[in-house]
Every structure is written in C-alpha cells, then in structure tokens.
Amino acid sequence: MANKISVLLVDDHAVVRAGYKTYLSLSERIGAVYEADRGETACQVYDKQTPDVVVMDLSMPGLGGLESVRRLLVRYPNCKILVFSIHNELVYVTRAIKAGAKGYITKNNEPDTLVTAVCTLAEGGTYIEPALAQQLAVNMAIGQDEAYKVKSLSPREFDIFCLLANGLSTRQAAEKLCLSYKTVCNHSTAIKEKLNVKTMSELTLLAGRQGIIKTGSELYEHS
Amino acid sequence: MANKISVLLVDDHAVVRAGYKTYLSLSERIGAVYEADRGETACQVYDKQTPDVVVMDLSMPGLGGLESVRRLLVRYPNCKILVFSIHNELVYVTRAIKAGAKGYITKNNEPDTLVTAVCTLAEGGTYIEPALAQQLAVNMAIGQDEAYKVKSLSPREFDIFCLLANGLSTRQAAEKLCLSYKTVCNHSTAIKEKLNVKTMSELTLLAGRQGIIKTGSELYEHS
DNA sequence: GAAACCATGGGAGCTTTTCCCGTTTTGCCG
DNA sequence: CGGCAAAACGGGAAAAGCTCCCATGGTTTC
C-alpha cells in the first residue's frame, strides 16, 4: 500500500461533513479530507488539492449532485467520484453511473462500507452497492427501467402524459390538445398500462423521478 | 453546570449515527451518547438509559420519526426530543411540535448548532431553528398558502393525504389503515376540497412542494 | 350537557374510466 | 405501388370510482 488516500467530501450539510470527516480520519488508509459544500466549490477545491477520491452527496442545492458530477468530469476526466446517497432507488444509480460516477453506495450501509468503497475507487476500481447492482442487473434484463418505459410511449401519449402528470384533468388536457375527452381517456389508460402504474399519483411520482415535472428538480434531487 | 448531558441518537443510518456520535463527543458538555436505529428500539434504549435528550431523525422506516416521537412521549411524558431533520419545510416543523417534540433543527446548520440545541433542551428549554420559527410566525399571520392549507387537515385526513399522494389507490389506503373504502373516499373528497385541488396529480404535486413525498422505500417497508 | 368536531361508513346518483370496437392517417418496406 | 403495422382518433356499454347527503358514536370544550 502506497500513500494515504486523500478525499474530497461534497455535501451541503456542514454537520454531515463534520461527521464523515471525523469518521474517515479514523482509518489509517485515509489521509487528508477536504470539504466542499456544493458542486461549484467542489471544482475549485479539486483544482487545488486533486484528491484521489470525491465523495459526493446527491441532494444539494444549486447544481445538484448529478450535475456536479458531470461538471467535475468535464474538467477532470480522470477524477474518481463516489456517490454517497440516501436514495436506494435504481433511477438514481443509473443516472449517477451514466453521469460518470465510479461508485454508488447508500447511507444504509455499515459505516465501514464507506471506507471500503473509497479505497476501491482509489485503486482504480468501481464500487456499486451489491444489493443495488443485483437489482440493476435484473432490471436490465427484464427491461422494467422507468426511463425505458417512458421511452416506450408514443409521441402523442407522451404529450398527454406530461399534461396529466402536471395536474391537468382529463378534460382540461383534451381541451388543451383539441381532442375528444374520450380520446384522452383512452390514451390515459394506455399510458398507465405502459408505465405500469395504477393511480394518477403514481404517474405523477414517476414523472417527477424522471424529471418531467418542471418544478420537480428539487423534488427528487433534494432529500 | 452540573453533570454531563447524555444523548440518545435515533437514526436508521449507522454511518450517520457514527458521524454525529463522534462529533457530539468532542463537546465537553456532552457525556454518554447512545444509539437506536428506529423508533421501536429507541423506547427500549430510553428505558434502560434514560438519556437527557433524544435526537431524532424524521425519515425512518418502520414507525417513522413522528410516530416515534408520539410513542416515546406516551411512555415517558417528560422526555426531551430534538428533531433533527433534513427537511426545512414548515409542515414538518408544525407536525413535530404538535407531536410533542421540544426542538427542531435542520441539518443545514453549523455543526455547532446541534450541540447548542441539545444543551438548551437539556436545560429544559425549547429550540426551534430561528429561520424556521421566523417563517412560522409569518405563515401564521398570512395563513393563505399551501402549508397553511395542509395544516388545516385533520390528523386522519393528513394520514390519508400522505398515502394517496404517495401513489396508493383509495382501496390500498383503506386496507392499510383498516378502514372502509367509502371512508377513505369521503376523506379524500374533503382533502381535495380543503387543499383546493381537483385531480390526484395536483394533490401529489402539492405534496411534493410541501415535501411530503417519500423518496425512499419506506412506504413498502412495513408490510 | 349542549355544541362542535372528528372518524367512521351506508346509499343513491352521478362522473369517470375501462374495454371493445371501428375509422382514418401515416410511414415503411419489399 | 399495394400492403401492413402503428398511431391517432373517437363512439357505446358496462364497470369502477367519486360525490353528496345522511347517521352514528366518540371526544373536547365551554
């Protein structure tokens, strides 16, 4: 084992950072621990310190975790980012990986997992929480990914999906699109079928997770 | 200043507890720090250790934070509970105080605030995050916005509101609460009336803005 | 102890959704 | 070019869901 690993913690909560920092410092494999309170500052700190691993929370004001990951990678394509989130939904994992993160773990783990993951990334590996990786694999095979389901909507169905998810009634949507009420009803049924949801609330929630609701950025990236 | 303050940390994430524990221990005013991973265990630990202050996270599987607060207070009416949450939405503050918590702070604060709040509670005071107390006051005066409308829901209505907003059908909600389907229907109508929404999607969106949507799998977790 | 409020649900009637059907348009491909 | 599949559109009947009105019983509150 060569040098100690330097880490950059990105989280908007100072308390949380303080906690992790103290905890990480207990390991003798980990050296300096830097902090940043958001994506914007993370870039600056990274530039100055070039830490081995970045530990990034997903829910942050401003850029948000995912966008921060992307920006960091644009500037420093080799940087190793471990997403450390409370979310155990697959959407987040998928997005994080797609954004270029090298690892994803949730806060449900043993404290020790954080150290393990950090070390794995430092050595050039990837670390995705086993349970999530498992589910992802299954999901991929079955093709039950939400994003995939949304893509399976026909153009017109997608239009209607958006309107309904944003709170319009079937009638209002029909009016807005100059369609018969019945047509919208029928489309709506097809949409729910394709997205595999039963209630309008579920549909709205799914739309939120998929970023289809305008005001929804904080809705799903925040806590 | 007499003895050191003993604290019970309730949070389902072991990492998070580890962090806070380490941090709290740095203060010389704080002594023993106990841990519990959920409401159910919190009661047991409390019984054994009778800590001076309970620091409770709101988002937990099983009982959930609010219900845990209530149960603790039923058994130990004098116990001092500080809710320590990521949510800065007023709904949570109101609900927490109504449930009997003696303090409410968010994780957006300086780490030091946690210590301050714990000490205040230990001395028999209350500590509500100044910014939130501020907003609450204003809100009370104006009282015509969404948060206010949500507060106008009766306890039972609020329960049902949460379930419906999180995607359950009327029937599922009824089953979950051991109620007649009709009762839930009737409540649902009243809720929509009070919140001034027409569709379930609108209701879900409002819930989202008010921070009532569960982003985790807490929903399915207790049977 | 009356008034007020809440939780609970039944019944009738209305509205919405589903399911099944047909028509029309469009784009694609051998 | 003719055929064909997919999409968009909508009607009608039946099922499901919701609203409105009502009644009961419990708990506070004054």
Side-chain angles (χ1 to χ4, degrees):
Chain A
M1 203 139 312
N3 289 333
K4 290 199 174 189
I5 301 164
S6 60
V7 176
L8 167 57
L9 283 177
V10 191
D11 192 306
D12 55 323
H13 303 300
V15 211
V16 176
R17 290 199 307 270
Y20 297 158
K21 182 170 184 172
T22 327
Y23 188 82
L24 282 173
S25 303
L26 297 180
S27 164
E28 82 284 346
R29 303 186 56 185
I30 290 173
V33 179
Y34 310 106
E35 302 182 34
D37 67 341
R38 47 175 60 220
E40 293 88 328
T41 35
C43 285
Q44 299 167 13
V45 179
Y46 192 96
D47 201 46
K48 225 175 284 177
Q49 315 286 0
T50 48
D52 298 313
V53 177
V54 180
V55 174
M56 171 93 62
D57 188 24
L58 270 195
S59 37
M60 280 190 299
L63 287 183
L66 286 176
E67 189 53 33
S68 303
V69 169
R70 289 188 205 100
R71 300 219 180 171
L72 260 176
L73 281 161
V74 167
R75 284 193 197 53
Y76 317 102
N78 296 322
C79 93
K80 295 157 184 167
I81 304 177
L82 171 65
V83 171
F84 187 42
S85 163
I86 40 169
H87 299 290
N88 62 349
E89 290 90 0
L90 294 183
V91 216
Y92 293 104
V93 188
T94 325
R95 290 203 186 192
I97 301 300
K98 201 168 286 174
K102 296 287 186 301
Y104 190 106
I105 58 176
T106 69
K107 298 186 182 176
N108 293 304
N109 286 284
E110 295 293 295
D112 196 52
T113 310
L114 176 57
V115 178
T116 312
V118 165
C119 294
T120 309
L121 261 72
E123 287 159 10
T126 61
Y127 189 99
I128 292 163
E129 188 171 316
L132 293 176
Q134 204 66 215
Q135 286 180 53
L136 257 185
V138 173
N139 239 287
M140 217 120 242
I142 303 183
Q144 291 269 324
D145 185 33
E146 286 188 347
Y148 172 83
K149 286 189 279 186
V150 171
K151 270 184 269 176
S152 82
L153 297 178
S154 78
R156 203 48 163 169
E157 283 169 347
F158 187 76
D159 293 344
I160 293 172
F161 168 56
C162 291
L163 294 181
L164 295 181
N166 276 286
L168 296 210
S169 71
T170 330
R171 291 221 140 80
Q172 290 173 312
E175 199 173 321
K176 186 148 204 161
L177 296 173
C178 296
L179 287 179
S180 152
Y181 160 67
K182 294 285 316 191
T183 303
V184 176
C185 275
N186 287 332
H187 276 303
S188 166
T189 303
I191 292 165
K192 287 198 231 161
E193 166 78 40
K194 284 192 183 180
L195 299 184
N196 193 33
V197 299
K198 268 186 53 214
T199 68
M200 275 299 156
S201 300
E202 277 186 279
L203 188 140
T204 305
L205 292 170
L206 191 155
R209 287 192 296 269
Q210 294 302 313
I212 281 151
I213 287 159
K214 279 75 76 184
T215 58
S217 61
E218 326 128 274
L219 203 159
Y220 67 89
E221 289 216 333
H222 241 228
S223 105
Chain B
M1 205 135 310
N3 291 331
K4 290 198 172 187
I5 301 164
S6 60
V7 176
L8 166 57
L9 284 176
V10 190
D11 192 307
D12 56 323
H13 303 300
V15 212
V16 175
R17 289 200 306 270
Y20 297 158
K21 181 171 185 170
T22 328
Y23 188 81
L24 282 174
S25 304
L26 296 181
S27 165
E28 80 285 345
R29 303 187 54 187
I30 290 175
V33 177
Y34 310 106
E35 301 184 34
D37 67 340
R38 46 176 61 221
E40 292 88 327
T41 35
C43 285
Q44 300 166 13
V45 179
Y46 192 95
D47 202 45
K48 224 175 288 178
Q49 315 286 358
T50 48
D52 299 313
V53 178
V54 179
V55 174
M56 171 94 62
D57 188 25
L58 270 196
S59 36
M60 280 189 300
L63 288 183
L66 285 178
E67 190 52 32
S68 304
V69 169
R70 287 189 207 101
R71 300 219 180 172
L72 261 175
L73 281 162
V74 167
R75 282 194 198 54
Y76 317 103
N78 295 322
C79 95
K80 296 156 182 167
I81 304 177
L82 172 65
V83 170
F84 187 40
S85 163
I86 36 172
H87 300 290
N88 62 350
E89 290 90 1
L90 293 184
V91 219
Y92 289 103
V93 189
T94 328
R95 297 275 157 185
I97 301 301
K98 201 168 288 176
K102 296 287 184 303
Y104 191 108
I105 60 175
T106 69
K107 299 186 181 175
N108 293 305
N109 285 284
E110 295 292 298
D112 196 50
T113 311
L114 176 56
V115 178
T116 312
V118 165
C119 294
T120 310
L121 261 70
E123 289 160 9
T126 62
Y127 189 99
I128 291 163
E129 188 171 317
L132 292 176
Q134 203 66 216
Q135 285 180 54
L136 260 183
V138 173
N139 233 279
M140 218 123 241
I142 303 181
Q144 196 40 305
D145 69 325
E146 290 188 344
Y148 174 80
K149 285 190 275 183
V150 171
K151 269 186 288 179
S152 81
L153 298 179
S154 77
R156 204 47 164 168
E157 284 169 349
F158 186 75
D159 293 344
I160 293 173
F161 168 54
C162 290
L163 294 180
L164 295 180
N166 276 287
L168 296 212
S169 70
T170 329
R171 292 223 139 79
Q172 291 173 309
E175 199 173 321
K176 185 148 203 161
L177 296 174
C178 296
L179 287 180
S180 150
Y181 161 67
K182 293 285 315 191
T183 302
V184 177
C185 275
N186 287 333
H187 275 303
S188 166
T189 303
I191 292 165
K192 286 197 231 161
E193 166 77 40
K194 284 191 182 181
L195 299 183
N196 194 30
V197 300
K198 265 188 57 215
T199 68
M200 277 298 157
S201 302
E202 277 185 280
L203 188 141
T204 304
L205 293 169
L206 191 154
R209 287 191 297 270
Q210 293 301 314
I212 282 153
I213 299 299
K214 306 240 188 312
T215 52
S217 52
E218 298 104 358
L219 261 182
Y220 318 110
E221 230 155 271
H222 68 113
S223 126

